[in-house]
Short mmCIF file of all heavy atoms in Angstrom, two decimals:
data_model
loop_
_atom_site.label_atom_id
_atom_site.label_comp_id
_atom_site.label_asym_id
_atom_site.label_seq_id
_atom_site.Cartn_x
_atom_site.Cartn_y
_atom_site.Cartn_z
N ALA A 334 5.52 -15.67 -10.14
CA ALA A 334 5.43 -15.83 -8.69
C ALA A 334 4.17 -15.19 -8.11
O ALA A 334 4.00 -15.19 -6.88
CB ALA A 334 6.66 -15.22 -8.02
N LYS A 335 3.29 -14.65 -8.94
CA LYS A 335 2.07 -13.98 -8.45
C LYS A 335 1.28 -14.92 -7.55
O LYS A 335 1.01 -16.07 -7.93
CB LYS A 335 1.22 -13.55 -9.64
CG LYS A 335 -0.05 -12.76 -9.30
CD LYS A 335 -0.81 -12.44 -10.57
CE LYS A 335 -2.09 -11.65 -10.32
NZ LYS A 335 -1.81 -10.23 -10.08
N PRO A 336 0.90 -14.48 -6.37
CA PRO A 336 0.12 -15.33 -5.46
C PRO A 336 -1.31 -15.53 -5.96
O PRO A 336 -1.80 -14.79 -6.81
CB PRO A 336 0.15 -14.58 -4.14
CG PRO A 336 0.32 -13.15 -4.54
CD PRO A 336 1.20 -13.17 -5.77
N ARG A 337 -1.97 -16.51 -5.38
CA ARG A 337 -3.35 -16.81 -5.77
C ARG A 337 -4.27 -15.62 -5.51
O ARG A 337 -5.11 -15.26 -6.32
CB ARG A 337 -3.87 -18.04 -5.02
CG ARG A 337 -5.29 -18.45 -5.42
CD ARG A 337 -5.78 -19.61 -4.56
NE ARG A 337 -5.01 -20.81 -4.78
CZ ARG A 337 -5.22 -21.70 -5.76
NH1 ARG A 337 -6.21 -21.48 -6.62
NH2 ARG A 337 -4.47 -22.77 -5.89
N ALA A 338 -4.09 -14.97 -4.34
CA ALA A 338 -4.97 -13.87 -3.98
C ALA A 338 -4.38 -13.08 -2.82
O ALA A 338 -3.82 -13.66 -1.89
CB ALA A 338 -6.36 -14.38 -3.59
N HIS A 339 -4.50 -11.75 -2.87
CA HIS A 339 -4.19 -10.88 -1.74
C HIS A 339 -2.82 -11.16 -1.11
O HIS A 339 -2.67 -11.14 0.11
CB HIS A 339 -5.28 -11.01 -0.68
CG HIS A 339 -6.60 -10.46 -1.12
ND1 HIS A 339 -7.80 -10.91 -0.64
CD2 HIS A 339 -6.91 -9.51 -2.04
CE1 HIS A 339 -8.80 -10.26 -1.23
NE2 HIS A 339 -8.27 -9.40 -2.07
N GLY A 340 -1.84 -11.41 -1.95
CA GLY A 340 -0.47 -11.57 -1.46
C GLY A 340 -0.16 -12.94 -0.90
O GLY A 340 0.93 -13.14 -0.34
N SER A 341 -1.06 -13.88 -1.03
CA SER A 341 -0.84 -15.21 -0.44
C SER A 341 -1.58 -16.25 -1.26
O SER A 341 -2.60 -15.97 -1.89
CB SER A 341 -1.34 -15.24 1.00
OG SER A 341 -1.36 -16.56 1.52
N ASP A 342 -1.07 -17.49 -1.23
CA ASP A 342 -1.77 -18.58 -1.88
C ASP A 342 -2.86 -19.17 -0.99
O ASP A 342 -3.73 -19.91 -1.46
CB ASP A 342 -0.79 -19.70 -2.27
CG ASP A 342 0.10 -19.30 -3.43
OD1 ASP A 342 -0.20 -18.30 -4.09
OD2 ASP A 342 1.11 -19.99 -3.67
N THR A 343 -2.83 -18.85 0.31
CA THR A 343 -3.73 -19.53 1.25
C THR A 343 -4.50 -18.61 2.18
O THR A 343 -5.52 -19.02 2.73
CB THR A 343 -2.93 -20.52 2.12
OG1 THR A 343 -1.92 -19.79 2.84
CG2 THR A 343 -2.27 -21.59 1.27
N VAL A 344 -4.05 -17.37 2.41
CA VAL A 344 -4.64 -16.51 3.44
C VAL A 344 -5.38 -15.34 2.79
O VAL A 344 -4.83 -14.64 1.95
CB VAL A 344 -3.56 -15.99 4.40
CG1 VAL A 344 -4.17 -15.03 5.42
CG2 VAL A 344 -2.86 -17.15 5.11
N GLY A 345 -6.62 -15.10 3.21
CA GLY A 345 -7.41 -13.99 2.70
C GLY A 345 -7.34 -12.78 3.60
O GLY A 345 -6.84 -12.84 4.73
N LEU A 346 -7.89 -11.64 3.13
CA LEU A 346 -7.81 -10.39 3.87
C LEU A 346 -8.52 -10.45 5.22
O LEU A 346 -8.13 -9.77 6.16
CB LEU A 346 -8.42 -9.25 3.05
CG LEU A 346 -7.69 -8.81 1.78
CD1 LEU A 346 -8.40 -7.61 1.19
CD2 LEU A 346 -6.25 -8.49 2.04
N THR A 347 -9.56 -11.25 5.30
CA THR A 347 -10.33 -11.31 6.53
C THR A 347 -9.81 -12.37 7.51
O THR A 347 -10.35 -12.52 8.60
CB THR A 347 -11.81 -11.59 6.23
OG1 THR A 347 -11.91 -12.81 5.49
CG2 THR A 347 -12.41 -10.45 5.42
N SER A 348 -8.75 -13.09 7.14
CA SER A 348 -8.19 -14.10 8.03
C SER A 348 -7.34 -13.45 9.12
O SER A 348 -6.63 -12.48 8.86
CB SER A 348 -7.33 -15.08 7.23
OG SER A 348 -6.56 -15.91 8.09
N PRO A 349 -7.38 -13.98 10.35
CA PRO A 349 -6.50 -13.45 11.40
C PRO A 349 -5.02 -13.66 11.09
O PRO A 349 -4.16 -13.03 11.71
CB PRO A 349 -6.94 -14.22 12.65
CG PRO A 349 -7.67 -15.42 12.14
CD PRO A 349 -8.28 -15.03 10.84
N GLU A 350 -4.73 -14.53 10.14
CA GLU A 350 -3.34 -14.78 9.75
C GLU A 350 -2.83 -13.82 8.69
O GLU A 350 -1.65 -13.84 8.34
CB GLU A 350 -3.19 -16.22 9.23
CG GLU A 350 -3.56 -17.29 10.25
CD GLU A 350 -3.47 -18.68 9.65
OE1 GLU A 350 -2.72 -18.86 8.67
OE2 GLU A 350 -4.14 -19.59 10.15
#
Side-chain angles (χ1 to χ4, degrees):
K335 184 182 180 78
R337 182 184 295 275
H339 293 153
S341 170
D342 288 346
T343 60
V344 177
L346 292 184
T347 57
S348 168
E350 300 177 24

